[in-house]
Amino acid sequence: MEKRVVFRSGWLPWALLAPQAIVIAVFFFWPAGQALVQSLQQSDAFGTSVNWVGLENFQNLWNDETYLASFKTTAVFSILVAVCGISLALLLAVFADRVVRGATVYKTLLIWPYAVAPAVAGVLWLFMFSPSIGIVAYGLEAIGVDWNHLLNGGQAMTLVVAAAVWKQISYNFLFFLAGLASIPKSLIEAAAIDGARPWRRFWTIQFPLLTPTTFFLLVINMVYAFFDTFAIIDASTQGGPGKETSILVYRVYYDGFKALDLGGSAAQSVVLMVIVVVLTVLQFKFVEKKVNY
Amino acid sequence: MVERRPTLGILAHVILILGVLVVALPVYITFVASTHTAQEVVQRPMPMLPGAHFIENYTAALQGGSHGAGSTAAVGRMMFVSLVSALIITFGKIAISLLSAFAIVYFRFRFRMFFFWAIFVTLMLPVEVRIGPTYKVVSDLGMLNSFAGLTIPLIASATATFLFRQFFLTVPEELVEAARIDGAGPMRFFKDILVPLSATSIAALFVIQFIYGWNQYLWPLLVTTNEDMYPVVYGIKRMIAGGDSQNEWNLVMATAMLAMIPPALVVMLMQKWFVKGLVDTEK
């Protein structure tokens, strides 16, 4: 789509674009280019010598079992976050769509966690589950669960997943609520007249018609779990115990800033860029579908 | 709903109330912890009702100088840093996106589509995938520990530019023609017609971007080393150090409450714009 009527000026459009162009050139493209270049280099920790090593950094990553383990951790983490977050939000949205009285109150009371910073969410959950002082850890002990996420990798994963889901539920909830509202009431009435009970109506009408929303949320939640949960992990488990909750983004940070392996970190950045491109393409594909249904 | 089913109606309310309670529980515990003394909080189990040290703890947190093992900086200053950077990021993003969308939609010039795609590609380069080199650029420019360093690298925004572009494309052509016949130049048209028409989009973006700016964590972690420049979301992490008993958890929790209040208020008070913003920015 283009405008038929436009303004004519030689310099004005350039001046208007300049601020955005300068920011993206200096802080996006230049660093991204640097990451590409560095991924082909190896330097020592003091930055005194730099060698071209071709694809060696990538080969090292490929041969590094902990990096491959980190891929697995990320996959487990993001699938858990997406599946738990989406199903809980769907449950709440279906019931919120049902109630007539108090619907806005419930909505207001369910959407605010979106505003909580991931780092703060991490701190809150860390405090509740802290093995020595946490109230939930205390409760779990009372029912016979020995909670210590500082030693038990599975429990550490549960903790970060819970914090991440808690923060994301409001987002999924809002999109499901909008999706449910756009399903024509006449379809549901027709089914009811034909004798379909609520449970049956949900599975044969509402759930299939929500498929585009669900796929869209699946992609968005994956992106969220991949990139926006760095703060949750850094604030609660710091990737530990060992490397049990060290997702890919956490590793880029750790290897680059703590372990000072610049080449390796840059190579990981390049791998992440490829993942983002794939996820973005997926996102656009599903957004198209969402608009069309 | 279609038919009356009292049991299902009650079940719906029960599930929703349970949902609301579970979602609110972490914040309730945080609030309770923030109203007790440090000794009371580390008891097992910690008290489940608010205590009597509300004013004391919040004043102590805001002024700083606690005795915990971690950072003891004043939270008052951190809140100020957060507020200023969130506002700069928000208005910066809105301003530069409005200008570039205006240029792309209302002018024809060489490399127009090149710029359009260049902005689009930034969607695929979140801070997380280029932290090392971006940090280097910012430090080379001498912007560490400054508001400029905290905000400018974050104000480029493909989403906002697209949102405004989509909106501008729906603005009737007659408005431009009328403005031109009346002798208005491009900037006059922009200022008096386009910006006022975009008010709802601007409000929606404001909510989303304010939360985005306030909640930044990774970026401040890299570019601030000076306690004076910690935003509160990052500062709170710095207050936790060492073992559980060495932290003044009551003050940490008071800080957590303070860090949550501004963005939560923005979401609840501007709910309508918030929902619009969420839906629009994902298109």
Side-chain angles (χ1 to χ4, degrees), chain A residues 171 175 178-179 182 213 216-217 220 280-293, chain B residues 116 120 123 157-167 170 201 204-205 208-209 274-283:
Chain A
Y171 184 94
F175 275 86
S182 69
T213 314
F216 164 78
L217 285 176
I220 295 284
T280 314
V281 170
L282 274 177
Q283 186 174 339
F284 271 80
K285 233 181 124 194
F286 285 122
V287 173
E288 287 303 308
K289 279 201 181 143
K290 180 180 158 235
V291 174
N292 288 338
Y293 89 95
Chain B
F116 180 74
F120 179 80
L123 270 185
S157 169
T159 40
T161 311
F162 284 116
L163 183 64
F164 286 127
R165 173 179 171 269
Q166 291 305 108
F167 175 71
T170 66
S201 300
L205 266 179
I208 300 295
Q209 302 299 354
F274 166 64
V275 176
K276 182 176 156 49
L278 269 193
V279 176
D280 285 355
T281 48
E282 287 305 344
K283 270 182 190 157

Side-chain angles (χ1 to χ4, degrees), chain A residues 3 6 27 130 132 234, chain B residues 112 130 161 171 180 217 244:
Chain A
K3 288 276 181 200
V6 293
F27 298 110
S130 156
S132 60
D234 192 43
Chain B
R112 190 172 69 99
R130 52 184 168 85
T161 311
V171 171
R180 280 176 54 169
Y217 177 81
D244 284 330

